[in-house]
């Protein structure tokens, strides 16, 4: 008999996209599902949409709660989950019809505590990977890949054994930004190993104008810095590979904060933070440049970001705005 899979969806302010997501879940080829929709006090019609679909599909469980943020919403879903496996999906994304079937085969065939696909569709890239195979990665390698990051850093596009998460008390403890990174790096380090596939089965939306991907907020960068610092302080596997990856991400986040200051036109109000970011980009550069396991092209870009951060930030801002403007996928 198929194992039960709990799909946890935090729902807030995604009325425009929610029905597409729910339909992609109830139409999965893998049918033994528990779909947990956590309405995090959404101010729009999300709650009513969730309830409507729950009336017609007994696999859907709706939890209405006061708004407390995405981390608390996911934790609430985890507390309610009764499945053998847990899959997280964001409220504005959607799954391919065979996604859950793929995740279950991946985690069971690799005998892993957690498994991931290292590729995903987006609203800007619809080409499937040509070749797929199942791999097994050591825990420190997987955590390092998240940190660089060469794999999507959210908790989505991954599957976890429920017993593994509960036994190791793996929860969402960070607020606002960096919560997914903190969760998956913690999970990877505690896992026996990580199963990895390459087929695209998750659809990641890049054109939600209210998401963290497109809405520039300085506090996102500040909270992300708290998250990466917490990851370093709590590091379980003190391997050179993982330590170098953590230090690279810390360096990179100084550039992210500086970018957000430029994007929000708030240099005057955040002058001390602005100067601190510029200083850290320069001071930390030699060490991360030598030790980081990144490509030569990335290292050239790192030098440019440290020496001309404002120019690079404005260039990135123009590129991202143009990409969003051209992204019209429903």
């Amino acid at each position: 008999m198929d194992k039960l899979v709990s799909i946890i969806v935090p729902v807030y302010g995604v009325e425009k996209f929610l029905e597409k997501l729910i339909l992609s879940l109830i139409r999965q080829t893998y049918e033994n599902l528990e779909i947990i929709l956590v309405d995090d006090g959404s101010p729009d019609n999300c709650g009513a949409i969730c309830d409507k679909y729950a009336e017609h599909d007994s696999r859907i469980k709706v939890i209405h709660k006061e708004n407390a943020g995405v981390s608390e919403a996911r934790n609430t879903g985890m507390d309610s989950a009764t499945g053998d496996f847990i899959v997280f999906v964001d409220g504005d994304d959607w799954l391919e019809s065979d996604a859950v079937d793929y995740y279950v085969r991946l985690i069971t065939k690799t005998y892993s505590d957690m498994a991931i696909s290292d590729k995903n569709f987006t609203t800007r890239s619809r080409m499937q990977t040509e070749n797929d195979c199942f791999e097994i990665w050591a825990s420190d390698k997987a955590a390092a890949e998240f940190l660089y990051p060469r794999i999507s850093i959210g908790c989505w596009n991954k599957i976890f054994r429920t017993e593994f998460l509960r036994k190791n008390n793996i929860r969402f403890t960070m607020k606002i930004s960096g919560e997914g990174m903190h969760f998956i790096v913690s999970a990877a380090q505690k896992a026996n190993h990580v199963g990895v596939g390459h087929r695209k089965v998750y659809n990641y939306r890049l054109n939600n104008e209210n998401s963290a991907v497109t809405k520039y907020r300085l506090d996102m960068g500040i909270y992300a810095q708290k998250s990466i610092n917490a990851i370093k302080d709590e590091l379980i596997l003190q391997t050179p590979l993982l330590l170098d990856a953590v230090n690279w991400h810390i360096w990179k986040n100084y550039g992210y904060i500086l970018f957000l200051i430029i994007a929000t036109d708030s240099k005057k109000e955040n002058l001390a933070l602005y100067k601190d970011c510029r200083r850290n980009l320069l001071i930390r550069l030699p060490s991360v440049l030598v030790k980081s396991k990144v490509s030569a092209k990335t290292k050239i870009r790192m030098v440019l970001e440290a020496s001309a951060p404002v120019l690079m930030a404005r260039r990135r801002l123009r590129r991202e705005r143009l990409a969003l403007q051209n992204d019209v996928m429903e």
Side-chain angles (χ1 to χ4, degrees), residues 4-8 77-79 81-88 107 155 158-163 165-166 183:
L4 179 64
V5 177
S6 297
I7 302 179
I8 298 172
M78 290 172 65
D79 291 338
T82 62
D84 300 281
F85 302 109
I86 286 177
V87 170
F88 297 100
I107 196 169
C155 58
K158 300 162 182 71
I159 185 170
F160 307 85
R161 292 186 187 271
T162 307
E163 182 182 5
L165 293 178
R166 289 177 175 161
F183 183 90

Side-chain angles (χ1 to χ4, degrees), residues 82-130:
T82 62
D84 300 281
F85 302 109
I86 286 177
V87 170
F88 297 100
V89 183
D90 280 0
D92 54 350
D93 297 334
W94 72 100
L95 298 183
E96 293 295 293
S97 62
D98 64 338
V100 176
D101 179 72
Y102 181 79
Y103 291 143
V104 172
R105 285 190 291 112
L106 177 56
I107 196 169
T108 55
K109 287 185 179 295
T110 58
Y111 301 96
S112 304
D113 289 328
M114 65 178 289
I116 63 178
S117 172
D118 65 351
K119 305 286 191 303
N120 45 264
F121 288 121
T122 73
T123 47
R124 300 171 193 172
S125 175
R126 309 303 306 165
M127 186 173 293
Q128 182 60 271
T129 52
E130 293 184 3

Side-chain angles (χ1 to χ4, degrees), residues 9-15 18 38-44 46 67-68 91 208:
V9 184
V11 176
Y12 184 87
V14 290
E15 177 183 357
L18 186 56
V38 185
D39 170 23
D40 188 32
S42 188
D44 52 16
C46 282
N67 177 253
N208 178 1

Side-chain angles (χ1 to χ4, degrees), residues 25-300:
L25 301 183
I26 63 180
R27 293 171 178 171
Q28 286 294 302
T29 56
Y30 191 101
E31 297 181 347
N32 195 18
L33 302 176
E34 175 184 58
I35 302 169
I36 304 173
L37 306 176
V38 185
D39 170 23
D40 188 32
S42 188
D44 52 16
N45 291 319
C46 282
I49 293 172
C50 292
D51 290 337
K52 180 183 75 171
Y53 280 95
E55 290 177 3
H56 299 286
D57 194 322
S58 61
R59 299 174 299 172
I60 297 177
K61 179 191 300 184
V62 182
I63 301 174
H64 299 284
K65 61 185 291 297
E66 291 185 5
N67 177 253
V70 67
S71 290
E72 192 57 40
R74 291 189 184 123
N75 285 336
T76 298
M78 290 172 65
D79 291 338
S80 180
T82 62
D84 300 281
F85 302 109
I86 286 177
V87 170
F88 297 100
V89 183
D90 280 0
D92 54 350
D93 297 334
W94 72 100
L95 298 183
E96 293 295 293
S97 62
D98 64 338
V100 176
D101 179 72
Y102 181 79
Y103 291 143
V104 172
R105 285 190 291 112
L106 177 56
I107 196 169
T108 55
K109 287 185 179 295
T110 58
Y111 301 96
S112 304
D113 289 328
M114 65 178 289
I116 63 178
S117 172
D118 65 351
K119 305 286 191 303
N120 45 264
F121 288 121
T122 73
T123 47
R124 300 171 193 172
S125 175
R126 309 303 306 165
M127 186 173 293
Q128 182 60 271
T129 52
E130 293 184 3
N131 300 302
D132 185 30
C133 63
F134 290 175
E135 302 177 21
I136 294 176
W137 287 1
S139 295
D140 65 334
K141 173 179 169 60
E145 291 294 302
F146 294 148
L147 286 161
Y148 270 120
R150 288 187 277 260
I151 298 176
S152 303
I153 61 176
C155 58
W156 42 267
N157 204 18
K158 300 162 182 71
I159 185 170
F160 307 85
R161 292 186 187 271
T162 307
E163 182 182 5
F164 159 70
L165 293 178
R166 289 177 175 161
K167 180 181 178 181
N168 290 279
N169 194 33
I170 301 171
R171 309 273 290 176
F172 292 91
T173 58
M174 307 304 296
K175 306 294 183 182
I176 300 181
S177 180
E179 80 292 337
M181 169 73 85
H182 186 273
F183 183 90
I184 62 175
V185 171
S186 176
Q189 290 182 87
K190 294 175 181 178
N192 58 348
H193 50 254
V194 177
V196 181
H198 311 293
R199 178 175 170 77
K200 295 180 182 179
V201 293
Y202 191 98
N203 293 278
Y204 182 51
R205 184 174 296 280
L206 292 170
N207 60 5
N208 178 1
E209 294 185 352
N210 293 317
S211 76
V213 178
T214 57
K215 198 169 186 177
Y216 301 122
R217 289 170 43 190
L218 181 55
D219 62 339
M220 300 294 285
I222 294 172
Y223 274 99
Q225 192 78 334
K226 291 181 179 179
S227 175
I228 187 59
N229 286 336
I231 288 172
K232 185 171 185 178
D233 291 342
E234 300 164 9
L235 211 59
I236 301 168
L237 305 176
Q238 300 278 338
T239 67
L241 175 66
L242 196 45
L243 285 167
D244 290 343
V246 169
N247 288 330
W248 181 89
H249 199 98
I250 290 172
W251 177 87
K252 187 69 175 176
N253 204 77
Y254 281 110
Y256 177 50
I257 294 173
L258 194 147
F259 165 76
L260 290 173
I261 292 174
I262 301 299
T264 55
D265 194 23
S266 59
K267 177 182 174 182
K268 184 177 180 180
E269 302 94 309
N270 299 284
L271 187 58
L273 179 59
Y274 174 88
K275 290 181 177 179
D276 182 62
C277 288
R278 291 207 63 170
R279 181 177 60 84
N280 273 284
L281 282 174
L282 286 170
I283 291 175
R284 296 170 181 261
L285 179 63
S287 177
V288 295
L289 204 59
V290 171
K291 296 180 179 180
S292 299
K293 307 301 185 292
V294 295
S295 67
K297 183 178 179 181
T298 298
K299 290 187 176 183
I300 291 172

